[in-house]
């Protein structure tokens, strides 16, 4: 009986929090702009499946217009023009959105997973484990990820997109784990953890049942920032010519326009990918900041006060 | 006293971290496939000649011997000769490092100062139009894709308007001219530095602005500010002399924390603008399989990052009397 | 306090402004006044070194080519050898198997005489240290004699066709400059290492220019060498200068920057092949002239003929039929190149064999598939879904099987990465698509250049690759190096693992044949054998497109390999 009420209260609490959160989020201009932009990019990613079905010449990687064999400006057939070998830039741009989401979200998810797990373990177990993990985090945190991936990619040959994602994830967890660790440390002092321990709950249960639900929102906040950094690193890598040649990412498009000498002559080809990379990172960033306001009660209070 | 112990502890930590990086780097560089001799391919080179080159370059010893040599050489400051340039790596790095430091520190200091200044203004106008536009502007410039921004800068200001040189660091017209004095030469460098500096500045000042803004907002709620207000000091004095110095502290930390990010950006900027710095050299050596040079520049960058983190932490501890480690 | 502070700031601002103004005033006149008679040449990368023995990169060679000179160089039109540091053509003595070369009166840039001693010294240095890239051209020299200051005699162990074309074109270095260096190097544990890593700051020059200044990462300044032997002389019916005060090599790092500088007049020439994307603008520019020249280059697809599936010549021929060279040329190279049908580039008229099999020449895609299908079907290949269905229509084929009934395992086509060469990476991708249409499990894989070479040459663990030589020697001896079974060993030049005793025999014969016409017949025969067996499929030879400013200097000399040659720099004149 008592347990049931508790569950209801708990559920109510969650629903309430989400609704309250949405309310604050809704007020935030940044959050709204970010969300709209993001939906737009998501739509682009979805649309990327359409052009190749219309005509094989709209395949972003291998499709070439049979009549065009050099870069041309926007036209009815090709809304954003064609690249140097007659491939459609719009379909490449759409496919790029898909890759950006894929890279950003999967790298961010992996790094958040790692960061949360390591942060919780370090904070909960403490002592030598804490020191070891946090020193490791310090070490990785100071490494410039782009340069590390660059060195790895030149050493091990061209990396494919999933390897790049994995490396980015492996180098981007320390920031998260630091935050999660301090959150865990403060949670550990709280009475309900103590109570659970006294009641005989196992360590795993405490971590998963009691600590994890409380740190997860924070993890997801960090996820948005990780998405931006993953997208930027992949794009920079592709721009420098170390990306996965089998994928049409925005960075790759910029590399093509650069390497084939169309940089200052084909603005219809140079501008879209650059704008897209900048805007997608901006939108995730804005989203992150808006969520920050939702999750950080201190800032909220201040807003109420001011 | 405590501060000194803290510094010593951190130094020991840095030494250990560095040793780990050193070892990992060695393993990565040796275990990876890739053959430096292949960089010197010529249809006419016979296998015997290639073999001579390999043994002359010292790549035929067993791995553990290579490791011992590597450590010894590192601690004696001998990084070997660059495969590509055929000169000691130290010479090349010593040649490039000042250029990087010049561009890098100028950009960080400039963007930190402007960021702090604008962040202060934004916090004054909290909730107003100025604040909203500044925040959005800061976010937008901060998230622009750096190499793309650099290219657009070159296109607009160097190519279309012709105000600045396209790339490079010095122009031969000035430096070869026997009449040009030190003033003309340094102005020439400044002239070349303008665009890369502006690019790095645009990318970086936004984050400092945002940090300063929120830190300022928090500081304004502190007790001593209330005390100052109660004393009847003017708002301006309170903000500029009481709140701002304390609020700027987190900016100092963030300079340290964002260093890795800045270094990524620095390498990209140097590459696009052909600024003869260490970041560009690293990108170049990596794509030319110049192991010693890539290794040394990476280690150098690691040292720079670690040491500046220490400096920032110590500075922070020194500046903020509330913090003791 | 605040007030004085403000005043101070204002004073400072005013000072900065004044300084800035002064600077602008001073800078602008200098920019135009200084270096009016200097040709400014844009380079993409920093030269590696000025030590000629280490200089394996093209940037160093471009600079050093103006400094160290060989005995013979090629005439830009006929490509025949003409005496340069030498006075006349070498005299052959069949009895002693020796060549005698007379040196013309010439001086080094330090004012001392260039003598036969310097020539002999250069040869001995190469032989003694076994200097990479040069040793193979000198190892068949038995001894070098210097009967007098202007005569040098080379005794050969056996007749070698490459003696005239490659040995006598080695740049000559000054004995005085290098004696100390090699004495010191010999005392070290690794003499060659010491020699290669000797830092050369101011090489003594025998050429038209001499190095004055090198600002790392920015420029190299070569001043006119007043001791240059060719000054105002007429050699090969060409009057030589140099008529310019010097060359400034500027380092740009990216093609974009260099081409923008060219358009703005910041450089007079960009010494690098220009990508087709830039051309439209450059051609429209009134002060820019574009040159189109052929290159001695070979870009090709190579197979590992040591193992299945490419040990079968029929499969290789079918693939040669499937590859649409017109597509590659028109789309990937944007029309700037020529199709290749032999290992020897067609521009090398004398050695190029004109009537070789041209697989699938000019056919549309469907006809290629039909013909390749015929070749494969007849030799026992089967499909789960053949590319031609029962009604004779083309369909997407599935699961090709080898003649022995086993399915074809997936194979990779290795290419350099796109940042190294976008064209080859792109070719790999397109060829992959063409082969997949035939049901072949092809995967194109760009790989860092170093790893690629190691995979192909050292480990020899690969299926197929796309590589190229941007600067093939004009002497076709490489044909022998590429396919002789003796070179099928780790790091050997026979990367395909091609073995044919008949070919080996003819190749060996050709290396020892001194008579040009007889050698030509053998070289043609070798090309026929190779193009019949296709261990390599030659793909294309890109056209070299270069651009210069036409408003300041004239007199560029066109030649195979472009306008950046010693003749151009000796004959350029200010307008």
């Amino acid at each position: 009986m008592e347990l049931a009420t508790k569950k209801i209260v708990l559920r109510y609490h969650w629903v309430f929090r989400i609704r309250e959160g949405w309310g604050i989020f809704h007020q935030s201009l940044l959050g709204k702009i970010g969300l709209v932009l993001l939906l737009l990019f998501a739509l682009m990613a979805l649309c990327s499946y359409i052009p190749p079905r219309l005509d094989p010449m709209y395949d972003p990687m291998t499709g070439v217009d049979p009549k065009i064999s050099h870069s041309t400006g926007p036209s009815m057939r090709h809304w954003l023009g064609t690249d140097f070998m007659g491939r459609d830039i719009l379909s490449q741009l759409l496919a790029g959105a898909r890759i950006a989401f894929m890279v950003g979200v999967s790298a961010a998810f992996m790094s958040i997973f790692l960061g949360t797990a390591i942060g919780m373990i370090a904070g909960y177990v403490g002592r030598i484990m804490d020191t070891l993990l946090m020193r490791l985090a310090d070490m990785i945190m100071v490494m410039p990820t782009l340069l590390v991936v660059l060195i790895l990619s030149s050493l091990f040959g061209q990396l494919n997109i999933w390897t790049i994602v994995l490396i980015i994830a492996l180098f981007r967890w320390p920031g998260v784990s630091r935050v999660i660790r301090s959150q865990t440390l403060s949670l550990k002092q709280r009475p309900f953890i103590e109570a659970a321990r006294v009641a005989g709950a196992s360590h795993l249960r405490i971590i998963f049942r009691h600590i994890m639900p409380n740190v997860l929102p924070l993890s997801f906040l960090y996820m948005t920032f990780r998405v931006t950094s993953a997208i930027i690193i992949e794009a920079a890598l592709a721009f420098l010519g170390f990306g996965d040649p089998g994928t049409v990412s925005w960075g790759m498009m910029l590399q093509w326009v650069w390497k084939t000498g169309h940089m200052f002559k084909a603005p219809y080809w140079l501008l879209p990918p650059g704008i897209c990379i900048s805007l997608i990172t901006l939108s995730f960033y804005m989203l992150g900041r808006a969520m920050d306001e939702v999750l950080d009660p201190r800032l909220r209070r201040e807003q109420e006060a001011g | 006293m405590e501060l000194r112990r803290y510094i010593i502890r951190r130094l020991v930590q840095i030494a250990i971290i560095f040793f780990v990086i050193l070892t990992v780097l060695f393993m990565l560089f040796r275990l990876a496939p890739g053959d430096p001799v292949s960089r010197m391919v010529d249809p006419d080179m016979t296998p015997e000649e290639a073999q001579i080159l390999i043994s002359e370059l010292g790549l035929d010893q067993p791995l553990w011997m290579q490791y011992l040599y590597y450590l010894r050489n590192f601690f004696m400051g001998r990084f070997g000769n660059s495969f590509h340039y055929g000169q000691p790596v130290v010479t090349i790095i010593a040649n490039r490092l000042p250029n990087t430091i010049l561009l890098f520190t100028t950009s960080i200091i400039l963007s930190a100062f402007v960021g702090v200044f604008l962040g202060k203004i934004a916090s004054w106008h909290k909730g107003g139009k100025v604040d909203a536009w500044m925040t959005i502007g800061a976010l937008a410039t901060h998230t622009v894709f750096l190499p793309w921004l650099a290219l657009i800068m070159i296109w607009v200001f160097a190519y279309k308007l012709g105000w600045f040189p396209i790339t490079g660091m010095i122009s031969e017209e000035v430096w070869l001219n026997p009449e040009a004095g030190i003033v003309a030469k340094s102005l020439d460098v400044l002239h070349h530095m303008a665009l890369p500096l502006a690019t790095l500045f645009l990318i970086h000042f936004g984050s400092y602005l945002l940090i300063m803004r929120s830190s300022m907002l928090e500081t304004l709620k502190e007790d001593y500010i209330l005390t100052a207000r109660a004393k009847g000091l003017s708002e301006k004095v309170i903000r500029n002399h009481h709140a701002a110095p304390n609020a700027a502290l987190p900016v100092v930390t963030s300079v340290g924390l964002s260093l890795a990010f800045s270094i990524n950006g620095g390498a990209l900027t140097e590459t696009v603008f052909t600024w003869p710095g260490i970041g560009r050299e690293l990108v170049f050596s990596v794509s030319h399989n110049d192991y010693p040079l890539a290794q040394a520049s990476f280690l150098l960058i690691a040292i720079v990052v670690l040491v500046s983190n220490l400096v920032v932490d110590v500075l922070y501890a020194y500046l903020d009397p509330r913090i003791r480690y | 306090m605040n007030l004085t502070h403000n005043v101070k700031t204002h004073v400072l601002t005013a000072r900065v402004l004044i300084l800035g103004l002064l600077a602008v005033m001073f800078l602008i006149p200098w920019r135009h006044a200084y270096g009016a008679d200097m040709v400014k040449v844009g380079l993409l990368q920093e030269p590696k070194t000025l030590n000629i023995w280490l200089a394996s990169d093209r940037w160093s060679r471009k600079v050093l080519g103006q400094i160290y000179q060989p005995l013979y160089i090629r005439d830009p039109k006929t490509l025949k050898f003409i005496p340069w540091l030498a006075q006349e053509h070498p005299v052959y003595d069949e009895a002693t198997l020796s060549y005698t070369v007379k040196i013309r009166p010439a001086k080094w840039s330090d004012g001392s005489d260039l003598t036969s001693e310097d020539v002999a010294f250069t040869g001995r240095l190469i032989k003694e240290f076994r200097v990479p890239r040069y040793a193979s051209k000198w190892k068949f020299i038995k001894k070098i004699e210097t009967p007098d200051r202007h005569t040098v005699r080379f005794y050969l162990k056996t007749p070698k066709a490459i003696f005239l074309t490659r040995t006598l074109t080695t740049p000559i270095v000054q004995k005085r400059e290098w004696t100390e260096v090699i004495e010191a190097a010999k005392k070290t544990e690794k003499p060659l290492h010491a020699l290669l890593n000797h830092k050369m700051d101011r090489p003594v020059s025998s050429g038209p220019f001499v190095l004055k200044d090198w600002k790392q990462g920015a420029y190299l300044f070569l001043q006119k060498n007043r001791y240059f032997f060719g000054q105002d002389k007429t050699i090969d019916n060409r009057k030589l200068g140099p008529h310019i005060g010097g060359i400034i090599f500027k380092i740009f790092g990216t093609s974009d920057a260099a081409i923008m500088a060219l358009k703005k007049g910041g450089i007079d020439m960009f010494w690098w092949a220009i990508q087709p994307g830039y051309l439209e603008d450059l051609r429209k520019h009134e002060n820019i002239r574009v040159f189109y020249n052929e290159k001695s280059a070979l870009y090709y697809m190579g197979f590992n003929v040591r193992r299945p599936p490419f040990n079968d010549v029929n499969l290789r021929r079918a693939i040669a039929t499937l590859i649409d060279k017109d597509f590659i040329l028109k789309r990937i190279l944007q029309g700037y190149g020529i199709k290749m049908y032999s290992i020897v580039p067609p521009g090398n008229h004398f050695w190029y064999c004109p009537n070789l099999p041209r697989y699938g020449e000019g056919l549309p895609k469907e006809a290629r598939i039909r013909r390749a299908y015929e070749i494969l079907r007849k030799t026992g290949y089967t499909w789960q879904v053949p590319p031609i269905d029962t009604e004779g229509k083309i369909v997407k084929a599935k699961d090709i099987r080898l003649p022995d009934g086993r399915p074809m395992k997936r194979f990779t086509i290795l290419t350099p990465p796109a940042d190294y060469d976008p064209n080859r990476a792109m070719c790999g991708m397109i060829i992959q698509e063409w082969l997949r249409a035939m049901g072949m499990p092809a995967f194109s894989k760009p790989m860092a250049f170093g790893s690629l070479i190691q995979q192909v040459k050292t480990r020899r663990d690969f299926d197929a690759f796309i590589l190229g030589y941007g600067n093939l020697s004009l002497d076709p001896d490489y044909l022998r190096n590429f396919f002789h079974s003796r070179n099928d060993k780790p790091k050997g030049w026979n990367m395909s693992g091609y073995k044919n005793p008949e070919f080996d025999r003819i190749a060996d014969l050709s290396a020892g044949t001194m008579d040009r016409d007889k050698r030509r017949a053998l070289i043609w025969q070798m090309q026929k054998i190779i193009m019949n067996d296709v261990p390599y499929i030659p793909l294309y030879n890109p056209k070299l497109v270069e651009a210069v400013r036409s408003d300041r200097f004239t007199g560029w000399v066109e030649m195979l390999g472009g306008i950046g040659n010693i003749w151009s720099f000796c004959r350029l004149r200010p307008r």
Side-chain angles (χ1 to χ4, degrees), chain C residues 40-175:
Chain C
K40 290 177 190 162
V41 175
L43 295 183
L44 205 54
Q45 299 289 352
E46 180 112 43
K48 177 176 166 166
T49 173
L50 290 177
N51 177 341
I52 180 118
W53 308 121
L54 181 67
S56 58
D57 62 313
R58 43 170 68 95
W59 314 107
S60 309
R61 289 195 210 170
K62 282 177 203 282
V63 174
L64 288 169
Q66 316 309 319
I67 294 173
Y68 292 112
Q69 300 305 316
L71 292 169
Y72 294 89
I73 61 172
R74 285 182 191 270
D75 175 274
K77 278 233 167 55
T78 60
L79 298 178
K80 286 210 174 105
F81 282 103
I82 50 144
W84 188 243
L85 278 179
Q87 179 86 282
E88 54 213 24
H89 283 284
V91 179
Y92 182 46
D93 178 32
E94 207 165 347
T96 53
L97 209 57
S98 72
Y99 282 90
T100 309
V101 176
K102 280 251 183 266
I103 315 285
R104 74 167 78 231
K107 276 189 182 345
W108 291 100
S109 56
D110 60 3
S112 64
D113 285 329
L114 191 158
T115 65
S116 56
E117 276 301 318
D118 292 311
V119 179
F121 173 81
T122 305
R124 286 178 197 136
L125 183 154
I126 291 170
K127 279 172 72 69
E128 185 177 351
F129 284 84
R130 302 220 279 160
V131 180
R133 289 188 313 281
Y134 294 102
S136 62
K137 296 157 199 165
W138 286 83
K139 68 177 175 196
F140 50 82
I141 307 277
K142 201 157 59 187
K143 69 178 180 209
I144 307 168
E145 275 178 4
T146 49
D148 63 59
R149 275 170 66 80
H150 292 286
T151 314
V152 58
R153 192 167 292 139
F154 302 94
Y155 291 90
L156 274 60
K157 287 177 190 154
T158 49
K160 277 282 176 197
I162 61 164
F163 173 73
L164 294 171
T165 54
R166 316 230 49 189
T167 312
L168 292 184
T169 50
T170 306
I172 303 302
V173 299
Q174 192 193 28
K175 184 177 180 182

Side-chain angles (χ1 to χ4, degrees), chain B residues 31-156:
Chain B
L31 297 180
D35 182 1
V37 178
S38 64
R39 282 282 160 197
M40 309 181 178
V41 275
D42 188 314
D44 299 326
M45 201 199 268
T46 63
E48 291 84 36
E49 287 167 355
Q51 196 47 53
I52 293 169
L53 211 55
I54 282 216
S55 63
E56 294 296 339
L57 293 170
L59 295 171
D60 53 354
Q61 311 229 8
L63 207 63
W64 63 274
M65 278 292 279
Q66 282 187 41
Y67 182 61
L68 291 184
Y69 270 107
Y70 168 82
L71 287 184
R72 192 195 67 183
N73 288 342
F74 174 77
F75 287 112
M76 292 173 72
R78 290 200 312 230
F79 292 92
N81 278 346
S82 153
F83 289 173
H84 180 76
Y85 294 100
Q87 292 168 28
V89 166
V90 180
T91 321
I92 296 160
I93 287 183
N95 184 292
R96 308 291 194 269
L97 193 60
N99 304 339
T100 296
I101 290 176
L102 176 68
L103 178 64
F104 202 70
T105 42
T106 326
S107 77
I108 296 250
I109 290 172
L110 188 71
S111 44
F113 270 92
V114 175
V116 164
F117 180 71
L118 292 180
K120 209 165 67 180
I121 295 178
S123 70
W124 286 353
H125 301 274
K126 189 171 76 71
K129 276 224 170 88
V130 176
D131 180 29
W133 282 113
M134 271 193 176
T135 311
I136 290 180
L139 279 175
T141 51
H142 184 56
T143 53
V144 171
F145 187 47
L146 194 147
W148 184 72
L149 176 69
L151 287 165
I152 300 279
M153 296 284 265
I154 296 179
W155 187 21
V156 175

Side-chain angles (χ1 to χ4, degrees), chain B residues 287-303:
Chain B
S287 60
H288 282 71
N289 279 11
D290 190 344
Y291 295 164
L293 188 54
Q295 207 170 27
S297 9
F298 189 81
L299 284 175
L300 185 85
I301 289 175
I303 294 179

